[in-house]
Amino acid sequence: MSESLQFCLSKFTFNSNGTPTRRRRVIATPKYKHVRPFQCMVRETGEDKHHIVVKNGKDSLDICRVVNGMWQTSGGWGRIEKNNAIDAMLKYADAGFTTFDMADIYGPAEDLYGIFINRVRRERPPEFLEKVRGLTKWVPQPVKMTSSYVRDSINVSRKRMDVESLDMLQFHWWDYSNSGYLDALKHLTDLKEEGKIKTVALTNFDTERLQIILENEIPIVSNQVQHSIVDMRPQQKMAELCQLTGVKLITYGTVMGGLLSEKFVDTNISIPFAGPAINTPSLQKYKRMIDAWGGWSLFQGLLRTLKQVASKHGVSIATVAVKYILDQPAVAGSMVGVRLGLSEHIQDSNAIFSLVLDEEDLNSIRESTAKGKDLLKVIGDCGDEYRGA
């Protein structure tokens, strides 16, 4: 598969009744009797609601619960100027948002992190450096996963990010019919034992494959999956296995590329130039999810509900959207994309930690989302949107 991870959802089309034209079967809820529970835990660090410790045996990583997503550095959101981007990364870190998520395929993201972390080393005290986390992903083609191939690939990220040890390596695999993902993960575990990686994690794996990986005793800390108020698939199957084993979820698409915001309330995007443009890769991606869920008109009803909840608490719709997902079982952290040097959302992100959604809020949100289709039935389990077979 030659498409980059962030664009391959465009291959996924939906019929008028909401069913996909390329759809995997939806597997029944697996039995977990062969899965040995790990000594893996997530806990908030004392009174600091900003951070959480993800721990699996001797592997431990403290991350910020609101993660700075760096997909936006890969192009399509506006030109990123290097120095402005690094200044913005420092501003986020100084504000307490010290965890950055990137990938080998996100354009210059890993290189920007390498420049950023060196500025932190020069311009901030050692105790500040200890709080900064760089989570990256490895998205290889499904070729033979030899030890040397895996090692060489990870060394590229280590060099680009200018770190001796990657804080977290999140592994993606395109083709489940090729069991080489188990070989890759075993080699990654070896690199972890050598100190090249601190924690091994997954991205876009489904529940069935996560179970297989755990049955092979590979110490996975987390699985990064798409999860939003519209896309609640992770809570239907994945969360059950995660709660049993201690694996946690890091979520992306939580504000749907900005669609979950005041900007899109009471807009009609079917009329050219009448409303905000759907003109970035993330907006286009999550607009397709809305189409699968029930369409723009139904989404407008959800936005109006979220606006009422947000107004009640004096926060933004995006703040409500992230808090709702952070409160879901098994979720350790949620991604908010950063357009470094172009815009910022520090104030909204800070508000997440003081927001408490009450039963009235939760009931109104659930009532609104229940009007949409079950995306587990429409698309399949977590990550199935990236796999057509």
Side-chain angles (χ1 to χ4, degrees), residues 169-181:
L169 191 285
Q170 301 164 106
F171 175 67
H172 174 89
W173 190 250
W174 294 108
D175 182 10
Y176 290 147
S177 67
N178 181 342
S179 62
Y181 66 90

Side-chain angles (χ1 to χ4, degrees), residues 43-49:
R43 60 179 174 82
E44 290 185 355
T45 55
E47 298 301 316
D48 181 6
K49 295 181 179 180

Side-chain angles (χ1 to χ4, degrees), residues 101 135-138 168-172 201-203 224 250:
D101 177 89
L135 321 181
T136 195
K137 306 180 194 75
W138 181 38
M168 179 184 286
L169 191 285
Q170 301 164 106
F171 175 67
H172 174 89
L202 305 173
T203 182
Q224 186 177 136
I250 296 175

Side-chain angles (χ1 to χ4, degrees), residues 124-132:
R124 300 294 185 274
E127 58 270 22
F128 186 93
L129 177 64
E130 291 301 312
K131 298 177 182 178
V132 177

Side-chain angles (χ1 to χ4, degrees), residues 270-285:
S270 65
I271 303 174
F273 309 110
I278 308 296
N279 59 356
T280 68
S282 52
L283 288 172
Q284 292 161 3
K285 172 179 179 175

Side-chain angles (χ1 to χ4, degrees), residues 295-316:
W296 193 254
S297 178
L298 194 63
F299 182 64
Q300 285 299 307
L302 173 59
L303 281 180
R304 286 190 286 270
T305 296
L306 294 174
K307 185 177 180 180
Q308 290 176 349
V309 173
S311 297
K312 170 182 167 182
H313 294 281
V315 298
S316 69

